[in-house]
């Protein structure tokens, strides 16, 4: 190993950050410094040889097939009108309480999150059905858009979840166990958002006028309509945790079932089908292109042995292990504010994960520590999606609700962000919140 | 340039539709296999291998459409204050940097296909030739590179001519 290899690793990092700041697409900003670094450390022939197999090696990872398939499932659910049924059912049951329609949007986002692994898709689809209703009933912009943006994060907080799949693959953890670990924190997030809306609406009744309650038969009729979502969820997750199929197979089954439900309900027609396929294609390519760039970078970083050095340096720090984890989470929150969350994971997990795993945290075993840390990281990812200056969900929601200024949405999001931070602290201090369900489902 | 961009958009869209449809087909294959395994303890042989190859093929076909839509993620936080023209030039450079990525991978993956074919490697269960996995990635990567090149070059001309999306 050359003595200057660690410095080269650092130089690559700096080059990448500069290129990213200069609007170079993130995938290329990782790929090009990685490529140059690889060339310098080894030589031209080995670099070209590495490139011969790198794309195939990444794209044929069996577990990664869940990403396009879960995306497809979410798109079929969107185009098949399932989000509308969910929102109508939630609104029928809670719409009449103060802030009820905003609560209904969060509830339906949570339920939609159970068949969709992307927060952007969840925000977009729920906004399309919920925002016009809230507007019609006189809800003020700030409360509506903030609830929709925050609710959208449930798309990734409640399994399936694309960021969790990425984390599972980077750290070689079991996807099914990670999904199980996410369920309680995800429900906690949803309940907290409901409470925030309740308090908000009570403090500012002008923001959320009361709407009349529906008669009972209509409530039940609306609830009956959501059976397909419930059915898909039960089949997919029942199958995964009942040991009938793997999460990878579950994604395929889920996509096919959702397609069938959409066709059966006659809501999914040819134009919708085409939109679903094209949207899936766009997001799939976006995600995997980042993978290809990050692979080049990470292959070179591994050659420089920088991850190992960072791990040994961190574990030698004279600081409490929990404080180090807290510092990592703060770093993630800061990074997530300015950069895309998925690239953040791809870039930092190979360096930071070994360092965190070397720490003694609550006396947890390696696997439990990895699952718990995954949930904490997921929380910071969701935070970045709604935090200023660039919250992706906020962009998505405001793009559909054009009459509300983005600054209003950010103002409305403050109490939601406070709850996010509070929840992160609770999950940091009480690992069993994430881990008990894993134990309950897998200790047989 | 105009002619090529008129042809590019429908071609990319067709690639993407086929790509997503291939992903759906692997989902269908998995579902049938799961049902057969549960009902008759007899899954489709080689379902995992076919899924791996199918998904890799699908993803590569999706790349050009994403490029066409300029949907690749950039960080625009630090350049919000710069002029429109300067941002345009930076984006053109960004697209050219993607040409390097797509081009290198398309070229090297094709070379990989040839050498793997020569070696005669196959998958474990149903003996699919391994070089298929390499070869099927090349068209998507190459078309995406072509789109990025057209976008990059047109970004420099002052009359910012967009590739029709």
């Amino acid at each position: 190993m050359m003595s200057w290899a660690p410095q080269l690793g650092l130089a690559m990092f700096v080059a990448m950050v500069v290129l990213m700041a200069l609007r170079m697409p993130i995938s290329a900003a990782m790929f090009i410094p990685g490529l140059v670094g690889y060339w310098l450390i080894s030589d031209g022939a080995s670099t070209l040889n590495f490139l011969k197999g790198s794309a195939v090696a990444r794209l044929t990872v069996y577990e990664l097939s869940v990403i396009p398939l879960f995306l497809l499932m979410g798109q079929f659910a969107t185009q098949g009108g399932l989000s509308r049924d969910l929102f109508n059912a939630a609104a029928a049951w809670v719409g009449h309480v103060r802030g009820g329609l905003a609560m209904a949007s969060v509830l339906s986002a949570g339920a939609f999150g159970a068949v969709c692994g992307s927060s952007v898709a969840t925000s977009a689809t729920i906004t399309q059905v919920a925002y016009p209703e809230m507007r019609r009933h006189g809800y003020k912009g700030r409360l509506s858009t903030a609830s929709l943006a925050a609710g959208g994060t449930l798309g990734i907080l409640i399994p399936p979840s694309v960021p969790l799949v990425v984390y599972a693959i980077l750290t070689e953890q079991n996807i099914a166990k990670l999904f199980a670990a996410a369920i309680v924190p995800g429900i906690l997030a949803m309940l907290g958002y409901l409470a925030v809306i309740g308090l908000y609406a009570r403090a500012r009744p002008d923001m959320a006028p009361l709407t009349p309650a529906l008669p009972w038969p209509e409530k039940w009729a609306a609830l009956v309509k959501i059976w397909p979502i419930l059915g898909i969820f039960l089949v997919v997750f029942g199958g995964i945790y009942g040991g009938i199929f793997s999460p990878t197979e579950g994604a395929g089954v889920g996509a096919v079932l959702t397609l069938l439900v959409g066709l059966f309900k006659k809501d999914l027609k040819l134009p919708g089908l085409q939109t679903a396929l094209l949207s899936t294609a766009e997001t799939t390519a976006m995600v995997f292109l980042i993978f290809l760039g990050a692979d080049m970078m990470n292959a070179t970083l591994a050659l420089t042995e920088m991850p190992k050095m960072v791990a040994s340096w961190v574990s030698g720090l004279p600081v409490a292990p929990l404080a180090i984890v807290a510092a990592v989470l703060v770093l993630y929150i800061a990074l997530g504010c300015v950069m895309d969350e998925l690239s953040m994971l791809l870039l930092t997990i190979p360096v930071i994960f070994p360092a965190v795993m070397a720490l003694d945290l609550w006396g947890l075993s390696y696997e439990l520590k990895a699952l718990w840390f995954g949930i904490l990281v997921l929380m910071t990812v969701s935070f970045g999606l709604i935090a200023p200056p660039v919250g992706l969900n906020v962009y998505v929601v405001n793009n559909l609700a054009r009459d509300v200024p983005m600054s209003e949405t950010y103002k409305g999001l403050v109490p939601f962000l406070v709850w996010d931070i509070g929840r992160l602290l609770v999950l940091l201090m009480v690992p069993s919140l994430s881990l008990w369900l894993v134990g309950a489902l897998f200790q047989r | 340039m105009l002619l090529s961009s008129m042809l590019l958009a429908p071609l990319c869209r067709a690639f993407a539709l086929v790509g997503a449809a291939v992903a759906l087909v692997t989902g269908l294959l998995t579902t049938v296999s799961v049902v057969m395994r549960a009902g008759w303890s007899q899954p489709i042989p080689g379902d995992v291998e076919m899924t791996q190859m199918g998904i890799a093929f699908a993803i590569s076909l999706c790349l050009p459409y994403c490029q066409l839509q300029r949907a690749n993620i950039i960080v625009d936080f630090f350049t919000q204050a710069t002029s429109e023209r300067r941002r345009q030039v930076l984006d053109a450079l960004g697209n050219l940097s993607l040409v390097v990525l797509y081009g290198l991978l398309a070229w090297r993956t094709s070379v990989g296909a040839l050498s793997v074919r020569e070696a005669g490697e196959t998958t474990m269960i149903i003996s699919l030739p391994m070089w298929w996995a390499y070869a099927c990635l090349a068209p998507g990567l190459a078309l995406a590179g072509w789109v990025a090149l057209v976008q990059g070059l047109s970004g420099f001309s002052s009359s910012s001519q967009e590739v029709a999306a």
Side-chain angles (χ1 to χ4, degrees):
Chain A
M1 181 52 52
M2 276 152 284
S3 58
W4 45 268
Q7 282 86 337
L8 183 69
L10 195 65
M12 279 162 47
F13 245 99
V14 173
M16 175 196 75
V17 171
V18 171
L19 291 174
M20 276 186 194
L22 292 173
R23 301 173 72 88
M24 184 180 277
I26 284 183
S27 42
M30 295 191 282
F31 186 84
I32 288 174
L35 181 76
V36 174
Y38 204 102
W39 200 295
L40 290 175
I41 289 184
S42 56
D43 54 66
S46 331
T47 310
L48 290 176
N49 203 37
F50 168 79
L51 288 170
K52 263 200 318 206
S54 64
V56 172
R58 169 53 65 203
L59 302 185
T60 56
V61 173
Y62 180 60
E63 283 73 22
L64 277 180
S65 67
V66 305
I67 293 180
L69 290 170
F70 273 139
L71 289 172
L72 212 48
M73 180 169 158
Q75 282 296 328
F76 287 148
T78 300
Q79 300 296 332
L82 297 187
S83 42
R84 189 179 346 104
D85 293 343
L86 279 176
F87 178 73
N88 288 343
W93 285 83
V94 301
H96 58 281
V97 304
R98 181 72 71 186
L101 289 178
M103 291 180 186
S105 68
V106 165
L107 279 171
S108 49
F112 194 79
V115 294
C116 178
S118 139
S119 86
V120 168
T122 305
S123 319
T125 185
I126 299 295
T127 302
Q128 277 161 5
V129 293
Y131 183 69
E133 279 301 297
M134 286 196 263
R135 212 177 122 87
R136 197 162 64 86
H137 288 283
Y139 274 56
K140 289 289 175 309
R142 185 194 290 189
L143 179 62
S144 330
T145 51
S147 309
L148 288 164
T153 63
L154 297 171
I156 57 165
L157 291 177
I158 291 185
S161 163
V162 170
L164 266 192
V165 172
V166 171
Y167 177 86
I169 284 159
L170 289 174
T171 61
E172 296 175 346
Q173 293 303 308
N174 180 318
I175 295 177
K177 287 186 181 175
L178 266 169
F179 282 0
I183 290 176
V184 172
I187 291 173
L188 213 58
M190 183 164 81
L191 294 177
Y193 291 156
L194 293 177
V196 166
I197 293 171
L199 293 173
Y200 210 123
R202 197 161 293 208
R204 296 284 305 275
D206 58 304
M207 290 237 168
L210 283 175
T211 54
L214 288 181
W216 284 96
E218 282 186 39
K219 285 188 184 181
W220 288 111
L223 196 62
V224 168
K225 275 199 173 168
I226 68 169
W227 71 264
I229 288 249
L230 206 65
I232 294 166
F233 179 76
L234 287 178
V235 170
V236 172
F237 286 91
I240 292 175
Y241 294 111
I244 300 171
F245 43 71
S246 67
T248 322
E249 291 168 333
V253 172
V256 170
L257 269 184
T258 316
L259 172 68
L260 292 179
V261 165
L263 293 175
F264 182 74
K265 284 177 60 208
K266 300 202 170 72
D267 278 330
L268 191 58
K269 301 215 173 62
L270 206 57
L273 201 60
Q274 193 174 336
T275 311
L277 292 178
L278 285 177
S279 310
T280 303
E282 187 175 317
T283 315
T284 300
M286 194 181 88
V287 169
F288 279 91
L289 195 64
I290 295 174
F291 260 111
L292 291 175
D295 279 348
M296 186 73 245
M297 187 73 167
N298 286 329
T300 312
L301 282 181
L303 284 186
T304 66
E305 298 197 331
M306 197 172 105
K308 255 190 234 164
M309 291 176 58
V310 171
S312 67
W313 174 71
V314 168
S315 58
L317 284 178
V319 187
L322 215 50
I324 296 177
V325 177
V328 166
L329 296 175
V330 170
L331 171 78
Y332 275 170
I333 286 176
L335 276 178
C337 286
V338 290
M339 79 183 273
D340 160 66
E341 282 73 20
L342 207 54
S343 358
M344 171 179 99
L345 290 188
L346 283 169
L347 206 61
T348 58
I349 290 292
V351 179
I352 283 178
F353 181 76
V356 170
M357 288 303 109
L359 302 170
D360 176 28
L361 297 158
W362 303 113
L364 293 171
S365 71
Y366 183 91
E367 187 187 30
L368 291 180
K369 209 158 43 177
L371 296 176
W372 170 67
F373 183 60
I375 300 308
L376 295 178
V377 169
L378 179 68
M379 297 295 147
T380 66
V381 166
S382 84
F383 187 92
L385 288 170
I386 53 173
V390 275
L392 197 53
N393 279 14
V394 179
Y395 276 89
V396 171
V397 170
N398 279 82
N399 203 20
L400 293 165
R402 285 183 185 273
D403 51 330
V404 184
M406 210 175 281
S407 54
E408 277 293 294
T409 308
Y410 281 126
K411 272 184 215 154
L413 275 167
V414 171
F416 292 93
L417 288 168
V418 169
W419 163 239
D420 275 354
I421 296 283
R423 193 174 72 245
L424 184 62
L425 282 174
V426 170
L427 292 171
L428 179 68
M429 300 315 286
V430 192
S432 56
L433 274 176
S434 314
L435 298 174
W436 79 266
L437 192 60
V438 183
L441 285 170
F442 288 89
Q443 243 100 72
R444 271 179 291 212
Chain B
M1 203 61 93
L2 191 65
L3 184 71
S4 64
S5 46
M6 272 164 58
L7 285 172
L8 275 183
L11 191 61
C12 293
R13 204 162 304 156
F15 266 49
L17 285 172
V18 174
V22 169
L24 181 59
V25 169
T26 68
L28 209 59
L29 176 85
T30 305
T31 309
V32 173
S33 186
V34 163
V35 170
M36 283 174 59
R37 190 176 62 204
W40 296 270
S41 337
Q42 185 66 61
I44 295 175
D47 55 344
V48 172
E49 292 162 15
M50 287 189 273
T51 302
Q52 284 175 312
M53 276 201 193
I55 290 286
F57 183 44
I59 295 166
S60 70
L61 289 181
C62 295
L63 292 171
Y65 180 70
C66 181
Q67 184 61 42
L68 180 82
Q69 300 283 77
R70 299 171 190 267
N72 289 316
I73 295 178
I74 62 165
V75 176
D76 61 358
F77 177 62
F78 300 100
T79 43
Q80 278 163 352
T82 50
S83 72
E84 176 74 35
R85 175 78 197 126
R86 190 162 297 171
R87 267 182 286 169
Q88 216 173 24
V89 170
L90 286 174
D91 287 341
L93 288 172
N95 281 322
L96 292 182
S97 71
L98 280 175
V99 177
V100 176
L101 187 162
Y102 292 126
L104 262 178
L105 287 179
W107 169 43
R108 295 316 297 169
T109 306
S110 310
V111 173
L114 293 178
S115 61
V116 171
R117 190 170 74 153
E118 220 152 275
E121 279 178 60
T122 58
T123 60
M124 293 238 279
I125 299 179
I126 52 170
S127 303
L128 294 175
M130 267 309 286
W131 70 270
W132 289 5
Y134 288 76
C136 71
L137 300 188
L141 285 166
L143 181 59
W146 182 249
V147 174
L149 184 66
V150 172
Q151 285 173 337
L153 293 180
S154 70
F156 286 116
S157 58
S158 50
S159 64
S160 66
Q161 215 164 55
E162 295 274 308
V163 174

